[in-house]
Amino acid sequence: MRLREGLGLGSGFCFALLLLSFPASIVVGDDGTPVSQTTIVPADASLELVFDGGKVLTEGVAAGHDGKLYFSDITFTYQSKDENGFSEAGHIWQFDPGTGITKIFRSPSGMSNGIKFDRNGNMIVAEGADFGGRRVIRTDMETGKSYVIAGLYEGRPFNSPNDITRDEKGRIYFSDPRYLGHEPLDQVTMSVYRIDPDGQIERIITDAGKPNGICVSPDQKSIYVVSNDNGSTGLDRVPMDAPSYKGRMALLAYDLSPEGRASFRKVLVDYAPQDGPDGLVADRDGNLYVAVRDETRPGICVYSPDGKELAYIKTEVPTNVGFGRGSDRNLLYITAGKSLYRIRLNQQGYELPK
């Protein structure tokens, strides 16, 4: 299904625009009757494939203030080797909706995962383990200069920063699990941290299990955290057929205080015994768009703030989601497998106020 393939990192780009037959599926309520989801997903909506040239796993799609989409290509080093045995070092791709062209924005990426943009248009990137930076950086998109905004906590490196969210006071929150990599685990827990505008870092959530996707609600009163505990901190070192004990697989809601501190409120959705979600994002009404990795029902589940399922978009097993900007605020971009998809909705994504 590759329409035009990149020509290598020097001039590499991919041009792919293809409509796929992944219709929005029917949602069934608790009483077994169908629930209309056309208020969110148009009845005739379908997924559009815009890029399928990833190496191992696409992640962390986010819309920049320049109107372009940026997403990670996590090149697991134990898989992405060339003919001489050298591993690719991770990439950030840039997709231009105006031209349909996708090209490398940054390589190496520090093994980037989650990407977000602050109100000033700076790119915030969570760099993971597996020869990555294990830090959070901010890039000035005008100058290209990058700054480490979270590199150590209590004098020790992070486990593997994964996903990012922001609040209206300029604070940044990130999750710090570990799924693969040879590096030691230096933090005592897998946690969620807050970075204040003055650079202070505080560990605010330690009871989420293995935190992955995170999202601050538009009303600033909640922070949602995905626990996706696969039972291993080194999937690259554990045989695929080896048994493992999976931990919590759930979407959790925490109260968020005006000071940026979190306290557990409730389990919104429990996915056990299936795999839990990965990334998530909110629309302007506070509904959550969650990349659910349950292989028996993979796709984007849309939930109300109290956890009621409102809509479902069938996809291959997804990793993350992000809305476009401006007139495309109702375009939902989805990273899944080695690809980037999009679908136009009736709802608009939440954006930080200027």
Side-chain angles (χ1 to χ4, degrees):
M1 299 173 66
R2 189 170 286 113
L3 298 187
R4 186 169 182 179
E5 194 172 57
L7 303 175
L9 295 185
S11 60
F13 61 91
C14 184
F15 187 98
L17 293 173
L18 185 65
L19 293 177
L20 302 182
S21 57
F22 279 131
S25 300
I26 295 174
V27 174
V28 178
D30 294 337
D31 60 357
T33 59
V35 176
S36 173
Q37 60 177 356
T38 55
T39 55
I40 293 176
V41 184
D44 59 350
S46 58
L47 281 180
E48 182 183 8
L49 173 67
V50 297
F51 171 81
D52 67 346
K55 185 66 178 182
V56 178
L57 189 69
T58 56
E59 250 283 11
V61 62
H65 289 207
D66 58 3
K68 298 179 175 63
L69 280 297
Y70 297 82
F71 60 98
S72 297
D73 186 1
I74 307 177
T75 57
F76 297 166
T77 57
Y78 75 101
Q79 291 186 11
S80 56
K81 298 181 183 296
D82 67 9
E83 64 276 8
N84 296 315
F86 297 111
S87 300
E88 295 188 30
H91 321 302
I92 295 177
W93 290 85
Q94 177 197 78
F95 169 67
D96 186 341
T99 64
I101 292 175
T102 307
K103 63 182 181 181
I104 292 292
F105 170 75
R106 177 187 294 162
S107 182
S109 68
M111 288 303 174
S112 69
N113 193 318
I115 300 173
K116 290 292 188 293
F117 287 85
D118 65 21
R119 69 178 68 197
N120 297 316
N122 299 307
M123 175 188 282
I124 312 297
V125 177
E127 297 183 347
D130 192 29
F131 295 98
R134 296 171 67 190
R135 61 189 180 181
V136 180
I137 67 169
R138 181 183 70 238
T139 298
D140 184 320
M141 297 296 282
E142 295 294 328
T143 67
K145 292 181 178 180
S146 295
Y147 305 83
V148 178
I149 58 175
L152 300 172
Y153 186 75
E154 296 179 338
R156 296 178 178 272
F158 294 102
N159 296 323
S160 186
N162 185 287
D163 205 7
I164 298 169
T165 187
R166 302 89 63 229
D167 68 18
E168 293 182 359
K169 294 184 178 180
R171 297 176 296 210
I172 297 166
Y173 305 79
F174 69 96
S175 58
D176 186 43
R178 171 66 70 82
Y179 291 98
L180 82 165
H182 67 281
E183 299 89 343
L185 287 167
D186 288 292
Q187 294 299 328
V188 295
T189 63
M190 297 189 191
S191 304
V192 174
Y193 297 84
R194 188 192 72 240
I195 309 170
D196 292 333
D198 64 2
Q200 294 296 310
I201 303 171
E202 183 175 342
R203 182 189 284 145
I204 64 167
I205 296 175
T206 58
D207 60 351
K210 195 170 187 177
N212 194 307
I214 54 175
C215 179
V216 171
S217 62
D219 67 6
Q220 310 295 289
K221 295 180 179 179
S222 299
I223 183 168
Y224 302 99
V225 182
V226 164
S227 177
N228 188 314
D229 188 347
N230 64 334
S232 167
T233 60
L235 59 85
D236 51 328
R237 304 193 302 275
V238 177
M240 293 296 292
D241 59 351
S244 63
Y245 179 80
K246 294 182 180 180
R248 174 181 271 179
M249 296 288 189
L251 175 61
L252 313 173
Y254 287 77
D255 293 321
L256 188 64
S257 75
E259 295 75 32
R261 294 187 172 87
S263 56
F264 177 74
R265 184 167 75 240
K266 65 179 294 188
V267 175
L268 287 186
V269 186
D270 189 346
Y271 300 87
Q274 303 301 325
D275 284 352
D278 199 326
L280 72 160
V281 71
D283 67 22
R284 62 182 182 178
D285 293 331
N287 301 313
L288 303 174
Y289 296 68
V290 183
V292 176
R293 297 184 59 79
D294 175 358
E295 292 187 354
T296 68
R297 190 177 181 248
I300 308 305
C301 290
V302 185
Y303 301 108
S304 67
D306 62 0
K308 178 182 178 182
E309 185 170 316
L310 305 176
Y312 168 65
I313 303 166
K314 183 179 181 180
T315 70
E316 62 174 310
V317 178
T319 58
N320 222 320
V321 284
F323 280 98
R325 287 187 179 274
S327 60
D328 284 334
R329 283 177 64 183
N330 64 343
L331 261 180
L332 185 70
Y333 285 85
I334 302 163
T335 50
K338 302 178 182 181
S339 303
L340 177 67
Y341 300 89
R342 66 184 177 187
I343 185 170
R344 195 170 293 277
L345 305 178
N346 289 326
Q347 280 280 20
Q348 294 185 347
Y350 165 71
E351 287 184 5
L352 289 173
K354 297 294 186 181

